[in-house]
Amino acid sequence: MATLNSKPYLSEELALQMAQAALEKARELSIHIAVAIVDDGGNLKVFVRMDRAPLLSSRVSQDKAYTAASFNRPTREWYPRMEANPQLLHGLNKLDRMNILTGGLPIRHEGHLIGGIGVSGGTGEQDELCSQAGIDRLNELLGQ
């Protein structure tokens, strides 16, 4: 008999809490950001753009989240890989929604990819700190 496997998924309540944590971190860093959270299929769950965040950060944050979820790896890992491989640099980097800027992280729970979070508006390092704050909030809420 065939069975279906079950896996955790990212609820809107958890995604909202993650976005709130990213915004809190941005305020602590005195930056204005956009934060996007997608599910494991790359579908937008939550998006917020702070007042005075750069307009382009809206699209960039969503693309960072999508890229992190698509490949189950932080966006910061892509440039070093592409730099040494021209085929990757000139191939993957031209895909719609691919973003290799630092600030996108996969969201995982119990070994499962459940989404991605992307932040844009600060430096790459600041963006990733904000994304990590969202991940940390999720882990805190789930008791990890």
Side-chain angles (χ1 to χ4, degrees):
M1 172 190 248
T3 62
L4 291 175
N5 295 323
S6 62
K7 68 174 211 158
Y9 73 93
L10 184 61
S11 70
E12 69 271 10
E13 292 90 2
L14 289 172
L16 285 166
Q17 289 292 323
M18 292 177 71
Q20 185 62 43
L23 295 173
E24 290 166 7
K25 185 59 149 180
R27 288 184 189 98
E28 179 185 311
L29 297 171
S30 299
I31 59 174
H32 301 95
I33 63 165
V35 58
I37 299 175
V38 300
D39 65 16
D40 62 342
N43 302 296
L44 190 62
K45 296 280 290 186
V46 172
F47 171 76
V48 179
R49 181 179 159 267
M50 294 174 75
D51 296 338
R52 296 183 295 183
L55 292 176
L56 188 58
S57 65
S58 297
R59 170 77 187 263
V60 172
S61 65
Q62 291 177 50
D63 289 350
K64 286 180 182 183
Y66 182 85
T67 300
S70 294
F71 292 100
N72 194 12
R73 72 176 57 237
T75 54
R76 76 175 128 67
E77 293 182 5
W78 279 106
Y79 185 73
R81 293 179 68 158
M82 290 179 166
E83 183 178 39
N85 187 332
Q87 187 175 12
L88 280 178
L89 180 63
H90 297 293
L92 281 180
N93 205 30
K94 291 186 178 171
L95 293 176
D96 189 38
R97 301 191 69 188
M98 179 73 176
N99 192 298
I100 64 170
L101 299 171
T102 300
L105 296 174
I107 304 169
R108 300 181 187 106
H109 179 65
E110 295 179 348
H112 296 278
L113 175 72
I114 60 172
I117 181 170
V119 170
S120 179
T123 66
E125 292 74 23
Q126 290 171 323
D127 290 350
E128 188 162 311
L129 285 172
C130 294
S131 288
Q132 187 61 53
I135 300 284
D136 292 346
R137 176 71 52 86
L138 174 70
N139 291 334
E140 176 186 310
L141 291 168
L142 296 177
Q144 297 182 335

PDB file of all heavy atoms in Angstrom, residues 21-35 50 54 64 75-76 101-105 117-134:
ATOM      1  N   ALA A  21      10.682  40.052  13.443  1.00  0.00           N
ATOM      2  CA  ALA A  21      12.029  39.971  14.019  1.00  0.00           C
ATOM      3  C   ALA A  21      13.060  40.620  13.100  1.00  0.00           C
ATOM      4  O   ALA A  21      13.972  41.315  13.566  1.00  0.00           O
ATOM      5  CB  ALA A  21      12.402  38.514  14.286  1.00  0.00           C
ATOM      6  N   ALA A  22      12.918  40.424  11.795  1.00  0.00           N
ATOM      7  CA  ALA A  22      13.836  41.053  10.836  1.00  0.00           C
ATOM      8  C   ALA A  22      13.708  42.574  10.899  1.00  0.00           C
ATOM      9  O   ALA A  22      14.718  43.296  10.858  1.00  0.00           O
ATOM     10  CB  ALA A  22      13.556  40.547   9.426  1.00  0.00           C
ATOM     11  N   LEU A  23      12.486  43.073  11.012  1.00  0.00           N
ATOM     12  CA  LEU A  23      12.267  44.520  11.113  1.00  0.00           C
ATOM     13  C   LEU A  23      12.863  45.077  12.407  1.00  0.00           C
ATOM     14  O   LEU A  23      13.458  46.161  12.411  1.00  0.00           O
ATOM     15  CB  LEU A  23      10.775  44.840  11.042  1.00  0.00           C
ATOM     16  CG  LEU A  23      10.072  44.515   9.725  1.00  0.00           C
ATOM     17  CD1 LEU A  23       8.570  44.721   9.863  1.00  0.00           C
ATOM     18  CD2 LEU A  23      10.634  45.342   8.580  1.00  0.00           C
ATOM     19  N   GLU A  24      12.706  44.351  13.502  1.00  0.00           N
ATOM     20  CA  GLU A  24      13.280  44.783  14.777  1.00  0.00           C
ATOM     21  C   GLU A  24      14.800  44.895  14.669  1.00  0.00           C
ATOM     22  O   GLU A  24      15.401  45.847  15.166  1.00  0.00           O
ATOM     23  CB  GLU A  24      12.892  43.805  15.890  1.00  0.00           C
ATOM     24  CG  GLU A  24      11.420  43.859  16.252  1.00  0.00           C
ATOM     25  CD  GLU A  24      10.965  42.679  17.111  1.00  0.00           C
ATOM     26  OE1 GLU A  24      11.822  41.868  17.550  1.00  0.00           O
ATOM     27  OE2 GLU A  24       9.747  42.557  17.333  1.00  0.00           O
ATOM     28  N   LYS A  25      15.418  43.922  14.015  1.00  0.00           N
ATOM     29  CA  LYS A  25      16.870  43.944  13.846  1.00  0.00           C
ATOM     30  C   LYS A  25      17.275  45.135  12.983  1.00  0.00           C
ATOM     31  O   LYS A  25      18.281  45.807  13.273  1.00  0.00           O
ATOM     32  CB  LYS A  25      17.351  42.636  13.219  1.00  0.00           C
ATOM     33  CG  LYS A  25      18.844  42.541  13.134  1.00  0.00           C
ATOM     34  CD  LYS A  25      19.461  42.663  14.528  1.00  0.00           C
ATOM     35  CE  LYS A  25      20.729  41.892  14.671  1.00  0.00           C
ATOM     36  NZ  LYS A  25      21.290  42.021  16.022  1.00  0.00           N
ATOM     37  N   ALA A  26      16.516  45.421  11.946  1.00  0.00           N
ATOM     38  CA  ALA A  26      16.819  46.568  11.084  1.00  0.00           C
ATOM     39  C   ALA A  26      16.763  47.871  11.877  1.00  0.00           C
ATOM     40  O   ALA A  26      17.627  48.741  11.711  1.00  0.00           O
ATOM     41  CB  ALA A  26      15.848  46.619   9.905  1.00  0.00           C
ATOM     42  N   ARG A  27      15.772  48.001  12.737  1.00  0.00           N
ATOM     43  CA  ARG A  27      15.673  49.209  13.567  1.00  0.00           C
ATOM     44  C   ARG A  27      16.875  49.316  14.502  1.00  0.00           C
ATOM     45  O   ARG A  27      17.418  50.395  14.706  1.00  0.00           O
ATOM     46  CB  ARG A  27      14.359  49.202  14.344  1.00  0.00           C
ATOM     47  CG  ARG A  27      13.159  49.461  13.471  1.00  0.00           C
ATOM     48  CD  ARG A  27      11.852  49.540  14.271  1.00  0.00           C
ATOM     49  NE  ARG A  27      10.721  49.568  13.369  1.00  0.00           N
ATOM     50  CZ  ARG A  27       9.975  48.499  13.047  1.00  0.00           C
ATOM     51  NH1 ARG A  27      10.222  47.324  13.599  1.00  0.00           N
ATOM     52  NH2 ARG A  27       8.979  48.614  12.193  1.00  0.00           N
ATOM     53  N   GLU A  28      17.289  48.174  15.040  1.00  0.00           N
ATOM     54  CA  GLU A  28      18.467  48.143  15.911  1.00  0.00           C
ATOM     55  C   GLU A  28      19.719  48.588  15.149  1.00  0.00           C
ATOM     56  O   GLU A  28      20.588  49.263  15.707  1.00  0.00           O
ATOM     57  CB  GLU A  28      18.645  46.714  16.434  1.00  0.00           C
ATOM     58  CG  GLU A  28      19.828  46.477  17.325  1.00  0.00           C
ATOM     59  CD  GLU A  28      19.952  44.995  17.683  1.00  0.00           C
ATOM     60  OE1 GLU A  28      18.943  44.390  18.093  1.00  0.00           O
ATOM     61  OE2 GLU A  28      21.065  44.456  17.527  1.00  0.00           O
ATOM     62  N   LEU A  29      19.802  48.213  13.881  1.00  0.00           N
ATOM     63  CA  LEU A  29      20.947  48.574  13.040  1.00  0.00           C
ATOM     64  C   LEU A  29      20.793  49.943  12.379  1.00  0.00           C
ATOM     65  O   LEU A  29      21.693  50.391  11.665  1.00  0.00           O
ATOM     66  CB  LEU A  29      21.144  47.512  11.950  1.00  0.00           C
ATOM     67  CG  LEU A  29      21.490  46.103  12.420  1.00  0.00           C
ATOM     68  CD1 LEU A  29      21.430  45.125  11.260  1.00  0.00           C
ATOM     69  CD2 LEU A  29      22.859  46.086  13.088  1.00  0.00           C
ATOM     70  N   SER A  30      19.656  50.593  12.600  1.00  0.00           N
ATOM     71  CA  SER A  30      19.348  51.905  12.004  1.00  0.00           C
ATOM     72  C   SER A  30      19.375  51.872  10.478  1.00  0.00           C
ATOM     73  O   SER A  30      19.937  52.752   9.832  1.00  0.00           O
ATOM     74  CB  SER A  30      20.303  52.980  12.529  1.00  0.00           C
ATOM     75  OG  SER A  30      20.185  53.107  13.927  1.00  0.00           O
ATOM     76  N   ILE A  31      18.761  50.827   9.906  1.00  0.00           N
ATOM     77  CA  ILE A  31      18.635  50.728   8.457  1.00  0.00           C
ATOM     78  C   ILE A  31      17.166  50.540   8.093  1.00  0.00           C
ATOM     79  O   ILE A  31      16.341  50.212   8.950  1.00  0.00           O
ATOM     80  CB  ILE A  31      19.474  49.565   7.870  1.00  0.00           C
ATOM     81  CG1 ILE A  31      19.066  48.219   8.472  1.00  0.00           C
ATOM     82  CG2 ILE A  31      20.963  49.833   8.086  1.00  0.00           C
ATOM     83  CD1 ILE A  31      19.745  47.010   7.834  1.00  0.00           C
ATOM     84  N   HIS A  32      16.857  50.778   6.833  1.00  0.00           N
ATOM     85  CA  HIS A  32      15.490  50.625   6.329  1.00  0.00           C
ATOM     86  C   HIS A  32      15.505  49.519   5.282  1.00  0.00           C
ATOM     87  O   HIS A  32      16.248  49.615   4.299  1.00  0.00           O
ATOM     88  CB  HIS A  32      14.998  51.943   5.734  1.00  0.00           C
ATOM     89  CG  HIS A  32      15.023  53.054   6.730  1.00  0.00           C
ATOM     90  ND1 HIS A  32      16.088  53.932   6.838  1.00  0.00           N
ATOM     91  CD2 HIS A  32      14.146  53.408   7.686  1.00  0.00           C
ATOM     92  CE1 HIS A  32      15.845  54.787   7.800  1.00  0.00           C
ATOM     93  NE2 HIS A  32      14.675  54.487   8.343  1.00  0.00           N
ATOM     94  N   ILE A  33      14.689  48.502   5.506  1.00  0.00           N
ATOM     95  CA  ILE A  33      14.762  47.300   4.681  1.00  0.00           C
ATOM     96  C   ILE A  33      13.413  46.905   4.103  1.00  0.00           C
ATOM     97  O   ILE A  33      12.365  47.385   4.538  1.00  0.00           O
ATOM     98  CB  ILE A  33      15.298  46.096   5.492  1.00  0.00           C
ATOM     99  CG1 ILE A  33      14.330  45.755   6.642  1.00  0.00           C
ATOM    100  CG2 ILE A  33      16.709  46.358   5.992  1.00  0.00           C
ATOM    101  CD1 ILE A  33      14.543  44.389   7.277  1.00  0.00           C
ATOM    102  N   ALA A  34      13.487  46.002   3.169  1.00  0.00           N
ATOM    103  CA  ALA A  34      12.335  45.221   2.743  1.00  0.00           C
ATOM    104  C   ALA A  34      12.647  43.786   3.128  1.00  0.00           C
ATOM    105  O   ALA A  34      13.795  43.340   3.027  1.00  0.00           O
ATOM    106  CB  ALA A  34      12.124  45.330   1.242  1.00  0.00           C
ATOM    107  N   VAL A  35      11.647  43.068   3.613  1.00  0.00           N
ATOM    108  CA  VAL A  35      11.816  41.665   3.985  1.00  0.00           C
ATOM    109  C   VAL A  35      10.737  40.850   3.287  1.00  0.00           C
ATOM    110  O   VAL A  35       9.577  41.251   3.243  1.00  0.00           O
ATOM    111  CB  VAL A  35      11.793  41.456   5.513  1.00  0.00           C
ATOM    112  CG1 VAL A  35      10.513  41.965   6.140  1.00  0.00           C
ATOM    113  CG2 VAL A  35      12.001  40.000   5.875  1.00  0.00           C
ATOM    114  N   MET A  50       9.831  48.694   4.785  1.00  0.00           N
ATOM    115  CA  MET A  50       9.827  49.770   5.773  1.00  0.00           C
ATOM    116  C   MET A  50       9.750  51.119   5.067  1.00  0.00           C
ATOM    117  O   MET A  50      10.191  51.257   3.920  1.00  0.00           O
ATOM    118  CB  MET A  50      11.105  49.724   6.623  1.00  0.00           C
ATOM    119  CG  MET A  50      11.231  48.494   7.498  1.00  0.00           C
ATOM    120  SD  MET A  50      12.835  48.401   8.353  1.00  0.00           S
ATOM    121  CE  MET A  50      12.607  49.643   9.625  1.00  0.00           C
ATOM    122  N   PRO A  54      14.896  51.553   0.258  1.00  0.00           N
ATOM    123  CA  PRO A  54      15.059  51.779  -1.177  1.00  0.00           C
ATOM    124  C   PRO A  54      13.994  51.021  -1.975  1.00  0.00           C
ATOM    125  O   PRO A  54      13.638  49.891  -1.631  1.00  0.00           O
ATOM    126  CB  PRO A  54      16.452  51.211  -1.473  1.00  0.00           C
ATOM    127  CG  PRO A  54      17.160  51.204  -0.156  1.00  0.00           C
ATOM    128  CD  PRO A  54      16.101  50.994   0.882  1.00  0.00           C
ATOM    129  N   LYS A  64      15.942  37.323  -3.315  1.00  0.00           N
ATOM    130  CA  LYS A  64      16.854  36.652  -2.383  1.00  0.00           C
ATOM    131  C   LYS A  64      16.136  35.499  -1.682  1.00  0.00           C
ATOM    132  O   LYS A  64      16.692  34.401  -1.546  1.00  0.00           O
ATOM    133  CB  LYS A  64      17.395  37.628  -1.347  1.00  0.00           C
ATOM    134  CG  LYS A  64      18.435  38.605  -1.851  1.00  0.00           C
ATOM    135  CD  LYS A  64      18.884  39.523  -0.720  1.00  0.00           C
ATOM    136  CE  LYS A  64      19.881  40.557  -1.158  1.00  0.00           C
ATOM    137  NZ  LYS A  64      20.350  41.372  -0.019  1.00  0.00           N
ATOM    138  N   THR A  75      22.216  32.836  -0.025  1.00  0.00           N
ATOM    139  CA  THR A  75      22.592  33.513  -1.268  1.00  0.00           C
ATOM    140  C   THR A  75      24.057  33.920  -1.264  1.00  0.00           C
ATOM    141  O   THR A  75      24.672  33.998  -2.324  1.00  0.00           O
ATOM    142  CB  THR A  75      21.702  34.739  -1.535  1.00  0.00           C
ATOM    143  OG1 THR A  75      21.733  35.609  -0.381  1.00  0.00           O
ATOM    144  CG2 THR A  75      20.261  34.320  -1.816  1.00  0.00           C
ATOM    145  N   ARG A  76      24.642  34.155  -0.098  1.00  0.00           N
ATOM    146  CA  ARG A  76      26.047  34.561  -0.023  1.00  0.00           C
ATOM    147  C   ARG A  76      26.993  33.499  -0.570  1.00  0.00           C
ATOM    148  O   ARG A  76      28.126  33.785  -0.914  1.00  0.00           O
ATOM    149  CB  ARG A  76      26.448  34.935   1.396  1.00  0.00           C
ATOM    150  CG  ARG A  76      26.652  33.775   2.321  1.00  0.00           C
ATOM    151  CD  ARG A  76      27.173  34.190   3.684  1.00  0.00           C
ATOM    152  NE  ARG A  76      26.383  33.655   4.759  1.00  0.00           N
ATOM    153  CZ  ARG A  76      26.305  32.360   5.066  1.00  0.00           C
ATOM    154  NH1 ARG A  76      26.943  31.457   4.366  1.00  0.00           N
ATOM    155  NH2 ARG A  76      25.562  31.972   6.095  1.00  0.00           N
ATOM    156  N   LEU A 101      23.221  38.150  -4.178  1.00  0.00           N
ATOM    157  CA  LEU A 101      23.625  39.102  -3.149  1.00  0.00           C
ATOM    158  C   LEU A 101      23.385  38.512  -1.765  1.00  0.00           C
ATOM    159  O   LEU A 101      22.399  37.801  -1.541  1.00  0.00           O
ATOM    160  CB  LEU A 101      22.861  40.414  -3.297  1.00  0.00           C
ATOM    161  CG  LEU A 101      23.055  41.163  -4.616  1.00  0.00           C
ATOM    162  CD1 LEU A 101      22.084  42.329  -4.713  1.00  0.00           C
ATOM    163  CD2 LEU A 101      24.491  41.628  -4.752  1.00  0.00           C
ATOM    164  N   THR A 102      24.237  38.827  -0.820  1.00  0.00           N
ATOM    165  CA  THR A 102      24.094  38.345   0.554  1.00  0.00           C
ATOM    166  C   THR A 102      22.808  38.885   1.170  1.00  0.00           C
ATOM    167  O   THR A 102      22.460  40.041   0.976  1.00  0.00           O
ATOM    168  CB  THR A 102      25.317  38.794   1.387  1.00  0.00           C
ATOM    169  OG1 THR A 102      26.487  38.234   0.802  1.00  0.00           O
ATOM    170  CG2 THR A 102      25.214  38.345   2.827  1.00  0.00           C
ATOM    171  N   GLY A 103      22.112  38.028   1.920  1.00  0.00           N
ATOM    172  CA  GLY A 103      20.904  38.457   2.625  1.00  0.00           C
ATOM    173  C   GLY A 103      19.741  37.498   2.499  1.00  0.00           C
ATOM    174  O   GLY A 103      18.695  37.708   3.095  1.00  0.00           O
ATOM    175  N   GLY A 104      19.908  36.415   1.730  1.00  0.00           N
ATOM    176  CA  GLY A 104      18.857  35.414   1.604  1.00  0.00           C
ATOM    177  C   GLY A 104      19.263  34.131   2.304  1.00  0.00           C
ATOM    178  O   GLY A 104      20.392  33.659   2.138  1.00  0.00           O
ATOM    179  N   LEU A 105      18.358  33.585   3.107  1.00  0.00           N
ATOM    180  CA  LEU A 105      18.635  32.346   3.842  1.00  0.00           C
ATOM    181  C   LEU A 105      17.500  31.349   3.653  1.00  0.00           C
ATOM    182  O   LEU A 105      16.327  31.736   3.655  1.00  0.00           O
ATOM    183  CB  LEU A 105      18.782  32.629   5.344  1.00  0.00           C
ATOM    184  CG  LEU A 105      19.939  33.521   5.783  1.00  0.00           C
ATOM    185  CD1 LEU A 105      19.841  33.821   7.276  1.00  0.00           C
ATOM    186  CD2 LEU A 105      21.272  32.858   5.455  1.00  0.00           C
ATOM    187  N   ILE A 117      13.939  33.305   3.381  1.00  0.00           N
ATOM    188  CA  ILE A 117      13.768  34.686   3.828  1.00  0.00           C
ATOM    189  C   ILE A 117      14.827  35.530   3.132  1.00  0.00           C
ATOM    190  O   ILE A 117      15.985  35.118   3.022  1.00  0.00           O
ATOM    191  CB  ILE A 117      13.858  34.815   5.376  1.00  0.00           C
ATOM    192  CG1 ILE A 117      13.658  36.277   5.814  1.00  0.00           C
ATOM    193  CG2 ILE A 117      15.139  34.222   5.922  1.00  0.00           C
ATOM    194  CD1 ILE A 117      13.481  36.451   7.326  1.00  0.00           C
ATOM    195  N   GLY A 118      14.418  36.692   2.651  1.00  0.00           N
ATOM    196  CA  GLY A 118      15.332  37.602   1.998  1.00  0.00           C
ATOM    197  C   GLY A 118      15.146  39.011   2.510  1.00  0.00           C
ATOM    198  O   GLY A 118      14.014  39.456   2.720  1.00  0.00           O
ATOM    199  N   VAL A 119      16.248  39.697   2.723  1.00  0.00           N
ATOM    200  CA  VAL A 119      16.228  41.082   3.203  1.00  0.00           C
ATOM    201  C   VAL A 119      17.112  41.909   2.292  1.00  0.00           C
ATOM    202  O   VAL A 119      18.188  41.473   1.872  1.00  0.00           O
ATOM    203  CB  VAL A 119      16.720  41.179   4.667  1.00  0.00           C
ATOM    204  CG1 VAL A 119      16.921  42.627   5.089  1.00  0.00           C
ATOM    205  CG2 VAL A 119      15.733  40.484   5.602  1.00  0.00           C
ATOM    206  N   SER A 120      16.675  43.132   2.006  1.00  0.00           N
ATOM    207  CA  SER A 120      17.461  44.065   1.212  1.00  0.00           C
ATOM    208  C   SER A 120      17.243  45.473   1.734  1.00  0.00           C
ATOM    209  O   SER A 120      16.134  45.828   2.145  1.00  0.00           O
ATOM    210  CB  SER A 120      17.042  43.983  -0.259  1.00  0.00           C
ATOM    211  OG  SER A 120      17.778  44.890  -1.040  1.00  0.00           O
ATOM    212  N   GLY A 121      18.315  46.254   1.710  1.00  0.00           N
ATOM    213  CA  GLY A 121      18.219  47.646   2.143  1.00  0.00           C
ATOM    214  C   GLY A 121      19.457  48.130   2.859  1.00  0.00           C
ATOM    215  O   GLY A 121      19.770  49.309   2.872  1.00  0.00           O
ATOM    216  N   GLY A 122      20.192  47.202   3.449  1.00  0.00           N
ATOM    217  CA  GLY A 122      21.443  47.551   4.114  1.00  0.00           C
ATOM    218  C   GLY A 122      22.607  46.981   3.328  1.00  0.00           C
ATOM    219  O   GLY A 122      22.473  46.666   2.147  1.00  0.00           O
ATOM    220  N   THR A 123      23.746  46.839   3.995  1.00  0.00           N
ATOM    221  CA  THR A 123      24.850  46.112   3.371  1.00  0.00           C
ATOM    222  C   THR A 123      24.458  44.631   3.335  1.00  0.00           C
ATOM    223  O   THR A 123      23.517  44.210   4.031  1.00  0.00           O
ATOM    224  CB  THR A 123      26.151  46.271   4.181  1.00  0.00           C
ATOM    225  OG1 THR A 123      25.967  45.626   5.465  1.00  0.00           O
ATOM    226  CG2 THR A 123      26.530  47.731   4.369  1.00  0.00           C
ATOM    227  N   GLY A 124      25.193  43.837   2.599  1.00  0.00           N
ATOM    228  CA  GLY A 124      24.897  42.412   2.578  1.00  0.00           C
ATOM    229  C   GLY A 124      24.942  41.798   3.967  1.00  0.00           C
ATOM    230  O   GLY A 124      24.076  41.004   4.341  1.00  0.00           O
ATOM    231  N   GLU A 125      25.936  42.194   4.740  1.00  0.00           N
ATOM    232  CA  GLU A 125      26.076  41.650   6.087  1.00  0.00           C
ATOM    233  C   GLU A 125      24.899  42.069   6.974  1.00  0.00           C
ATOM    234  O   GLU A 125      24.386  41.262   7.754  1.00  0.00           O
ATOM    235  CB  GLU A 125      27.400  42.101   6.714  1.00  0.00           C
ATOM    236  CG  GLU A 125      28.623  41.490   6.049  1.00  0.00           C
ATOM    237  CD  GLU A 125      28.947  42.088   4.663  1.00  0.00           C
ATOM    238  OE1 GLU A 125      28.539  43.246   4.363  1.00  0.00           O
ATOM    239  OE2 GLU A 125      29.587  41.379   3.867  1.00  0.00           O
ATOM    240  N   GLN A 126      24.472  43.322   6.865  1.00  0.00           N
ATOM    241  CA  GLN A 126      23.314  43.782   7.641  1.00  0.00           C
ATOM    242  C   GLN A 126      22.054  43.049   7.204  1.00  0.00           C
ATOM    243  O   GLN A 126      21.230  42.656   8.042  1.00  0.00           O
ATOM    244  CB  GLN A 126      23.127  45.290   7.471  1.00  0.00           C
ATOM    245  CG  GLN A 126      24.187  46.124   8.138  1.00  0.00           C
ATOM    246  CD  GLN A 126      24.083  47.594   7.753  1.00  0.00           C
ATOM    247  OE1 GLN A 126      23.760  47.943   6.614  1.00  0.00           O
ATOM    248  NE2 GLN A 126      24.372  48.468   8.706  1.00  0.00           N
ATOM    249  N   ASP A 127      21.898  42.874   5.907  1.00  0.00           N
ATOM    250  CA  ASP A 127      20.725  42.156   5.397  1.00  0.00           C
ATOM    251  C   ASP A 127      20.687  40.740   5.963  1.00  0.00           C
ATOM    252  O   ASP A 127      19.637  40.264   6.404  1.00  0.00           O
ATOM    253  CB  ASP A 127      20.747  42.094   3.869  1.00  0.00           C
ATOM    254  CG  ASP A 127      20.503  43.447   3.208  1.00  0.00           C
ATOM    255  OD1 ASP A 127      20.129  44.408   3.896  1.00  0.00           O
ATOM    256  OD2 ASP A 127      20.699  43.517   1.972  1.00  0.00           O
ATOM    257  N   GLU A 128      21.844  40.067   5.973  1.00  0.00           N
ATOM    258  CA  GLU A 128      21.856  38.699   6.488  1.00  0.00           C
ATOM    259  C   GLU A 128      21.609  38.666   7.994  1.00  0.00           C
ATOM    260  O   GLU A 128      20.960  37.748   8.491  1.00  0.00           O
ATOM    261  CB  GLU A 128      23.152  37.984   6.147  1.00  0.00           C
ATOM    262  CG  GLU A 128      23.066  36.511   6.520  1.00  0.00           C
ATOM    263  CD  GLU A 128      24.093  35.629   5.855  1.00  0.00           C
ATOM    264  OE1 GLU A 128      24.272  35.711   4.621  1.00  0.00           O
ATOM    265  OE2 GLU A 128      24.707  34.842   6.596  1.00  0.00           O
ATOM    266  N   LEU A 129      22.090  39.657   8.726  1.00  0.00           N
ATOM    267  CA  LEU A 129      21.786  39.720  10.161  1.00  0.00           C
ATOM    268  C   LEU A 129      20.278  39.812  10.388  1.00  0.00           C
ATOM    269  O   LEU A 129      19.737  39.171  11.296  1.00  0.00           O
ATOM    270  CB  LEU A 129      22.484  40.916  10.807  1.00  0.00           C
ATOM    271  CG  LEU A 129      23.986  40.799  11.046  1.00  0.00           C
ATOM    272  CD1 LEU A 129      24.560  42.145  11.503  1.00  0.00           C
ATOM    273  CD2 LEU A 129      24.280  39.713  12.077  1.00  0.00           C
ATOM    274  N   CYS A 130      19.607  40.592   9.571  1.00  0.00           N
ATOM    275  CA  CYS A 130      18.144  40.726   9.690  1.00  0.00           C
ATOM    276  C   CYS A 130      17.453  39.417   9.323  1.00  0.00           C
ATOM    277  O   CYS A 130      16.510  38.990  10.008  1.00  0.00           O
ATOM    278  CB  CYS A 130      17.642  41.867   8.817  1.00  0.00           C
ATOM    279  SG  CYS A 130      18.210  43.499   9.341  1.00  0.00           S
ATOM    280  N   SER A 131      17.913  38.768   8.252  1.00  0.00           N
ATOM    281  CA  SER A 131      17.342  37.470   7.882  1.00  0.00           C
ATOM    282  C   SER A 131      17.567  36.450   8.999  1.00  0.00           C
ATOM    283  O   SER A 131      16.665  35.683   9.350  1.00  0.00           O
ATOM    284  CB  SER A 131      17.968  36.955   6.582  1.00  0.00           C
ATOM    285  OG  SER A 131      17.516  37.692   5.481  1.00  0.00           O
ATOM    286  N   GLN A 132      18.768  36.454   9.558  1.00  0.00           N
ATOM    287  CA  GLN A 132      19.070  35.511  10.639  1.00  0.00           C
ATOM    288  C   GLN A 132      18.204  35.783  11.865  1.00  0.00           C
ATOM    289  O   GLN A 132      17.803  34.844  12.561  1.00  0.00           O
ATOM    290  CB  GLN A 132      20.553  35.573  11.007  1.00  0.00           C
ATOM    291  CG  GLN A 132      20.970  34.505  12.004  1.00  0.00           C
ATOM    292  CD  GLN A 132      20.758  33.095  11.485  1.00  0.00           C
ATOM    293  OE1 GLN A 132      21.215  32.759  10.405  1.00  0.00           O
ATOM    294  NE2 GLN A 132      20.054  32.272  12.256  1.00  0.00           N
ATOM    295  N   ALA A 133      17.889  37.041  12.120  1.00  0.00           N
ATOM    296  CA  ALA A 133      16.990  37.368  13.233  1.00  0.00           C
ATOM    297  C   ALA A 133      15.623  36.713  13.017  1.00  0.00           C
ATOM    298  O   ALA A 133      14.998  36.236  13.970  1.00  0.00           O
ATOM    299  CB  ALA A 133      16.849  38.880  13.381  1.00  0.00           C
ATOM    300  N   GLY A 134      15.169  36.682  11.775  1.00  0.00           N
ATOM    301  CA  GLY A 134      13.912  35.999  11.465  1.00  0.00           C
ATOM    302  C   GLY A 134      14.010  34.501  11.712  1.00  0.00           C
ATOM    303  O   GLY A 134      13.097  33.892  12.295  1.00  0.00           O
TER     304      GLY A 134
END
